[in-house]
Amino acid sequence: MRIFDPHIHMTSRTTDDYAAMAAHGVQALVEPAFWLGQPRTSVGSFVDYFDALIGWEPFRASQYGIKHHCTIALNPKEANDPRCREVLEVLPRYLAKDGVVAVGEVGYDSMTPEEDEVFATQLQLAKQFELPVLVHTPHRDKAAGTTRTLAVVKESGLEPHSVVVDHLNELTVKEVADSGCWMGFSIYPDTKMDPDRMVVILQQFGTERILVNSAADWGKSDPLRTYATGQAMLAAGFTEDDVDQVLWRNPVAFYGQSQRLDLTGTEPDDTYEGNSILRGARA
Amino acid sequence: MRPEVLTPATELEMLLPASARTWLAEARRQPLETAFPAAARKVGRDRLSPAWTTDQAVRVLLLVGAPATDVLDVYRYGDAAEKLAVLHALSVADVAHPLDDQALPIIEDAIRTNDRRLLAAALGPYATHHLPQHAFRQAVLKCVFADVPLAVVDGLPKRVDQELIRMMSDFAAERSAAGRDTPADLEAYLTCPP
């Protein structure tokens, strides 16, 4: 099983996590810029964080044979803090980098006017830099937040296929499926989605335009939830080719729209029409 | 700086395929902060010689004639590949000579990182010429810690002094007390002091 985790915050994870991910087939990942639990109070903290996302963290990942890319944005939570607003001015510098494959995470947290403005501004930056967009949906008032998110995306003039709307669940997936945007799901130990519920959604909506991520960060989370979802899919009767589509080819197709994805050195698909040609040679 | 160890920019230009030359001519009219990060996507990353890839050569050529503040800025905001290109540019005569010692903060920053690629690239001829002796000794010892082969350090063996030998010997003693091997390229300095 080869895995591309399209959303994971490796800055918060240990080298043991990198080793375990590599051992379970994770060969590539995207680390979205988000908040760090502790609020930041100046633009300098963001600049250092962005520098780590395009410098130090890809180096750490490479030591475990994992390709690391990132997304860059001012996240919705900190968009509300006037001390962080200047971050918008440094974004163009980072959106020009090779390792940056999307604008994100943008979207809503508390659905304030400040969030409206910062979200819309960054959607225009995505157009300008010809990058896809990773949109976070709020944890509180999720369904209403998702509806509003889709309206803002539509208004921006961006093509739906260049946008993934993330952290979906049973109640929000249909609206996003109908919009033409990509559907993102975060698989968590306790909250958000779990592998078995994910399988049910895949049975209902199919395997296209769907991204499955661990969204592992500094909270209680698990970088191997992508692998667990692949196993749950196989147990439910999906083929290895279905799993490869969801856990590898879909994220490659979505982030590949940036024209900046560099996957040299990753191993090719070891399945052909659902049969493993390695016959269990790898975990 | 000893001229024989520096590469002239014309030599790099000659390595470039025609398509990269065309893009370079166009990019020289753009702001450096736009052209520099875009270079690898535009010209590719093919290896042109044992020392150079297309993207690195093009990035170095973009720095020819750039004022010191621009060079420092491009390094400051660069990703790892951009930072590496700036460090390599300091081994090119047309970049290194006009800068004199103004790029020393770049070398010091790269030595402070834990990225082996940056550390190794920092210890080229520019560091040999400009880095103070104390910082040079510390950088060499850091290479030993970080598994950077000492053969890549341009300033070795010529800048070895008794103090560096003492530091290396202490390090070897520490390794031996811990029951660990001493790297082979360090042994050579311990058995044949200058």
Side-chain angles (χ1 to χ4, degrees):
Chain A
M1 192 185 294
R2 57 178 182 170
I3 297 173
F4 184 134
D5 192 333
H7 181 153
I8 181 164
H9 302 281
M10 294 312 297
T11 302
S12 306
R13 311 301 307 192
T14 64
T15 49
D16 280 358
D17 287 331
Y18 270 124
M21 289 162 70
H24 286 80
V26 179
Q27 297 186 45
L29 59 85
V30 166
E31 174 157 12
F34 203 56
W35 86 304
L36 296 176
Q38 166 73 30
R40 285 166 283 204
T41 57
S42 74
V43 67
S45 301
F46 281 85
V47 166
D48 291 340
Y49 173 61
F50 294 157
D51 283 343
L53 293 184
I54 60 169
W56 177 237
E57 207 53 49
F59 175 69
R60 273 198 344 133
S62 72
Q63 293 174 304
Y64 298 87
I66 295 177
K67 302 296 275 194
H68 181 292
H69 296 82
C70 71
T71 77
I72 292 283
L74 172 58
N75 65 78
K77 204 178 276 269
E78 290 174 304
N80 291 305
D81 188 333
R83 294 173 299 183
C84 301
R85 191 56 81 89
E86 285 169 62
V87 171
L88 290 178
E89 288 160 35
V90 304
L91 292 180
R93 195 137 205 170
Y94 289 96
L95 296 178
K97 303 299 182 191
D98 285 332
V100 178
V101 293
V103 173
E105 297 179 54
V106 295
Y108 288 116
D109 177 57
S110 306
M111 293 192 270
T112 62
E114 288 80 8
E115 290 174 27
D116 273 326
E117 194 187 321
V118 169
F119 186 14
T121 302
Q122 296 187 100
L123 290 177
Q124 293 312 311
L125 281 174
K127 260 194 194 165
Q128 188 187 329
F129 285 87
E130 299 177 338
L131 287 172
V133 188
L134 169 61
V135 186
H136 162 98
T137 53
H139 304 302
R140 302 175 303 278
D141 203 9
K142 185 181 281 290
T146 304
T147 304
R148 187 149 149 192
T149 295
L150 291 173
V152 173
V153 167
K154 195 168 182 187
E155 198 177 310
S156 74
L158 281 165
E159 294 291 336
H161 65 74
S162 70
V163 177
V164 59
V165 184
D166 209 353
H167 313 312
L168 300 180
N169 59 29
E170 291 84 353
L171 301 180
T172 53
V173 55
K174 170 103 179 36
E175 198 179 356
V176 179
D178 293 344
S179 73
C181 292
W182 285 73
M183 295 157 268
F185 296 88
S186 301
I187 317 299
Y188 257 40
D190 298 328
T191 59
K192 300 182 184 166
M193 293 291 293
D194 66 38
D196 293 332
R197 284 163 57 208
M198 189 64 230
V199 165
V200 174
I201 286 184
L202 286 162
Q203 284 164 342
Q204 288 171 349
F205 287 85
T207 51
E208 283 183 24
R209 261 197 301 135
I210 284 191
L211 301 183
V212 170
N213 61 67
S214 72
D217 58 9
W218 35 261
K220 187 176 180 189
S221 49
D222 174 4
L224 302 181
R225 289 285 98 179
T226 47
Y227 174 78
T229 303
Q231 291 298 328
M233 284 177 73
L234 293 174
F238 281 101
T239 64
E240 289 191 28
D241 191 64
D242 292 330
V243 174
D244 191 67
Q245 182 187 0
V246 172
L247 294 183
W248 185 268
R249 299 199 304 270
N250 282 355
V252 170
F254 179 74
Y255 289 117
Q257 296 179 84
S258 68
Q259 308 284 334
R260 300 186 196 172
L261 214 50
D262 173 15
L263 296 174
T264 47
T266 57
E267 288 170 40
D269 183 12
D270 60 4
T271 63
Y272 178 69
E273 292 183 348
N275 296 311
S276 171
I277 51 174
L278 292 180
R279 305 251 175 245
R282 277 178 43 220
Chain B
M1 236 179 303
R2 294 161 301 136
E4 73 278 8
V5 297
L6 295 181
T7 311
T10 47
E11 199 177 294
L12 280 186
E13 297 242 20
M14 279 171 357
L15 290 174
L16 290 184
S19 56
R21 269 185 235 191
T22 310
W23 185 80
L24 179 63
E26 212 178 285
R28 280 180 165 141
R29 292 191 291 272
Q30 296 170 15
L32 188 60
E33 67 172 77
T34 313
F36 201 78
R41 300 195 285 280
K42 300 295 182 183
V43 300
R45 300 171 174 88
D46 290 346
R47 186 151 287 288
L48 300 173
S49 75
W52 296 98
T53 56
T54 317
D55 57 324
Q56 277 185 356
V58 163
R59 280 180 171 150
V60 168
L61 291 168
L62 282 170
L63 295 180
V64 174
T69 47
D70 284 11
V71 176
L72 291 173
D73 223 35
V74 160
Y75 178 87
R76 164 68 191 87
Y77 285 98
D79 62 20
E82 291 174 82
K83 284 183 156 76
L84 272 176
V86 176
L87 291 165
H88 287 308
L90 297 176
S91 66
V92 171
D94 310 66
V95 178
H97 281 308
L99 287 172
D100 194 26
D101 65 356
Q102 293 176 95
L104 197 51
I106 291 176
I107 299 288
E108 289 164 341
D109 177 275
I111 292 171
R112 272 194 298 272
T113 68
N114 263 355
D115 186 327
R116 283 191 293 276
R117 298 165 302 175
L118 296 178
L119 175 60
L123 295 174
Y126 189 91
T128 306
H129 189 76
H130 292 288
L131 200 63
Q133 188 64 13
H134 175 76
F136 179 78
R137 291 188 207 110
Q138 286 287 336
V140 169
L141 213 56
K142 184 157 177 176
C143 286
V144 178
F145 272 89
D147 290 329
V148 171
L150 294 181
V152 309
V153 180
D154 175 79
L156 289 178
K158 51 194 161 294
R159 285 189 70 176
V160 173
D161 59 9
Q162 286 307 323
E163 179 64 0
L164 182 54
I165 299 285
R166 183 202 57 79
M167 289 161 75
M168 288 171 158
S169 309
D170 285 359
F171 173 75
E174 217 178 295
R175 292 288 283 242
S176 147
R180 298 184 181 129
D181 293 338
T182 303
D185 54 354
L186 190 72
E187 298 266 14
Y189 288 94
L190 303 178
T191 48
C192 308

